[in-house]
Amino acid sequence: MRVFAVLFLLIASSLAAEERALCAVEPHDQFCPHYPADQTAFVRTHDYMLMSPTVQEPFDLFAWQAFLALNWPEGGARPGDAPEAARAWDSFPRRAELFGADAARAACGAPEGRLLIDGTRQADGHQLIDREGNFVVYDTRVNWVVADYIRANALDTLAGQMAFAGDVSFPMGEVGGQHPSILLKLAWRIVAEPDASALMRDATVFVPARDTLNGEAMCLDVAVALSGFHIVTRTSSGNGDDWIWTTFEHVRNAPTAANARSPNSIYAPELFPGGCMAPEQAEGFAFFDPERSPEANEPARAALWAAATPLARDQSGAPVTPPQVVRCWDRFAGTQVVNAHFQEALAGTIWANYMLINAQWRGTLPSPLAGQGEVPRYSSNITMETFFQDQLDASCLGCHSTALTADGRDANFTFILSHAQ
């Protein structure tokens, strides 16, 4: 039996600020558009359940380098250039482009440069509505490494998956070699007025007939603000051959709960007895209204889409009361130090208004205490996993370890293959 090397380092020095690389390649002290192919600063030689900043920080740096590379403006020399420019992720195929008919494209089309979004619910089926009564929508994409692997192995159809021999294993990134497999999910908040603190885009949202107030499918042209960003990268070292899961949010999404726990909390019969409690003061957040009841993280009634704001309505056409959202899990102390380092360097740009929630990786073997072995133990983005943050399985890598293909085999940590027909 392997022995857990539990690190009870209450005081640990992290990297000096000048050693925190802004870019994955030289010169490291300048921002760049280069996506980090691998995380090589830390190689796992022990099992880890609790983390010190010195162990976690390489993964947090990897996360920020990846986030900025994906959001690098086309033709720009710095992260803050050309807010209206296309970003690196714009060229990534949407999930619907890989599997079967693209209903949104067929129904709505979309001019070049305009986002086409067909995700209107979270993975568990819930809707997220902001305090203005408008929805959050979701855009799932993969990079060309993933798309090429799926197509080359005919994994884009059920018949192809059934004929596929062997295990699904997406390519791993290597420094100086193979570019990594990347999975993305973006959460966009529909806004009536531009938000100068966020990445803004014009978008067309496809809403199926079952979800609209008038019972007819709708193509809605809206402005959206980037609120959440999942980045999942498969690397060949540092994290073994597993994925590194990183997730970012806008800093003004929601307040941290008064009883928030450390993301390294180990197993407990009940993580948040009585629920996640709203703080006494919480002003200026998109998903929390201090003038309303503080009861938090209760889903709103199922809402239908109207053609005009506020978009979320009940069957009578009246606006739906939005949920009150708080963040159940605090950010790891070392991660907050890394956030401050990047936010200071990004001052004056919209990217200073985003924060890394955490970078999760496989640190140990699965166990009752360590879940699927992920570190930090718990991870959730409040724009995408709003209503099950307090659950014992509230873990990105833990959840995705159960992902299956459409024909029922292990899908290598992604649910996208289940959409094959």
Side-chain angles (χ1 to χ4, degrees):
M1 179 181 295
R2 301 176 71 184
V3 178
F4 292 119
V6 182
L7 303 181
F8 292 104
L9 299 180
L10 299 180
I11 301 176
S13 61
S14 56
L15 295 175
E18 61 269 18
E19 296 176 345
R20 294 194 183 101
L22 301 178
C23 176
V25 301
E26 293 183 344
H28 297 300
D29 62 348
Q30 300 176 21
F31 292 116
C32 72
H34 298 284
Y35 196 94
D38 198 358
Q39 196 296 91
T40 59
F42 168 71
V43 178
R44 191 179 75 203
T45 56
H46 300 283
D47 287 329
Y48 292 93
M49 290 167 57
L50 303 178
M51 306 313 300
S52 73
T54 51
V55 175
Q56 181 66 27
E57 187 160 289
F59 295 94
D60 292 347
L61 294 174
F62 178 98
W64 266 105
Q65 293 162 4
F67 178 68
L68 293 174
L70 288 168
N71 284 290
W72 200 268
E74 189 176 77
R78 297 174 302 175
D81 288 346
E84 72 287 350
R87 307 285 155 174
W89 55 260
D90 271 298
S91 66
F92 290 10
R94 295 166 40 250
R95 182 179 63 195
E97 296 177 70
L98 295 175
F99 303 101
D102 186 344
R105 181 73 64 186
C108 304
E112 184 175 352
R114 188 180 190 89
L115 285 184
L116 178 59
I117 300 176
D118 59 3
T120 58
R121 294 177 182 269
Q122 298 183 355
D124 65 354
H126 284 119
Q127 301 162 304
L128 180 58
I129 303 164
D130 72 6
R131 59 186 290 183
E132 303 300 325
N134 296 316
F135 292 100
V136 173
V137 291
Y138 303 95
D139 184 14
T140 302
R141 296 173 181 255
V142 303
N143 73 337
W144 289 102
V145 176
V146 173
D148 289 348
Y149 178 84
I150 290 172
R151 289 166 175 157
N153 292 287
L155 298 175
D156 51 346
T157 67
L158 177 58
Q161 290 184 12
M162 295 178 68
F164 179 72
D167 298 327
V168 175
S169 181
F170 290 96
M172 294 177 283
E174 297 179 9
V175 174
Q178 169 68 47
H179 197 67
S181 296
I182 305 171
L183 313 172
L184 300 181
K185 190 169 188 179
L186 290 73
W188 298 93
R189 183 169 64 92
I190 297 176
V191 295
E193 299 292 336
D195 183 348
S197 73
L199 177 66
M200 293 291 304
R201 295 296 292 270
D202 293 327
T204 297
V205 178
F206 172 67
V207 187
R210 66 177 180 273
D211 291 333
T212 66
L213 191 58
N214 64 8
E216 299 179 3
M218 181 166 57
C219 297
L220 192 64
D221 291 336
V222 294
V224 293
L226 183 64
S227 296
F229 203 106
H230 274 335
I231 310 168
V232 196
T233 314
R234 195 173 190 211
T235 62
S236 58
S237 63
N239 194 42
D241 59 357
D242 279 327
W243 301 79
I244 299 175
W245 193 294
T246 67
T247 190
F248 286 79
E249 290 185 35
H250 193 278
V251 296
R252 303 307 296 174
N253 278 347
T256 300
N259 59 337
R261 296 184 62 172
S262 164
N264 279 328
S265 297
I266 61 175
Y267 175 85
E270 190 174 2
L271 294 172
F272 296 94
C276 301
M277 309 301 293
E280 292 186 5
Q281 294 183 341
E283 297 285 346
F285 291 99
F287 301 104
F288 186 88
D289 185 347
E291 300 301 320
R292 290 180 42 219
S293 165
E295 185 175 355
N297 298 348
E298 292 296 326
R301 289 181 296 167
L304 298 172
W305 284 69
T309 57
L311 296 172
R313 309 293 183 100
D314 63 21
Q315 290 185 337
S316 73
V320 168
T321 301
Q324 293 276 66
V325 177
V326 302
R327 187 181 312 285
C328 296
W329 297 101
D330 207 348
R331 279 128 303 153
F332 186 56
T335 299
Q336 296 193 60
V337 171
V338 174
N339 278 340
H341 175 70
F342 276 83
Q343 289 164 341
E344 181 179 0
L346 291 163
T349 76
I350 56 172
W351 305 114
N353 300 314
Y354 290 88
M355 61 182 174
L356 173 64
I357 301 304
N358 62 43
Q360 195 179 45
W361 50 286
R362 177 83 76 162
T364 184
L365 294 176
S367 76
L369 287 178
Q372 289 297 318
E374 60 271 36
V375 177
R377 175 66 178 84
Y378 295 97
S379 174
S380 54
N381 185 306
I382 66 98
T383 67
M384 304 186 205
E385 296 98 19
T386 313
F387 304 108
F388 60 90
Q389 298 178 71
D390 59 348
Q391 301 301 304
L392 291 173
D393 57 353
S395 160
C396 295
L397 277 176
C399 174
H400 278 253
S401 69
T402 67
L404 301 176
T405 63
D407 71 328
R409 74 176 76 187
D410 182 85
N412 195 203
F413 282 89
T414 176
F415 288 100
I416 60 171
L417 295 178
S418 66
H419 291 266
Q421 301 174 26

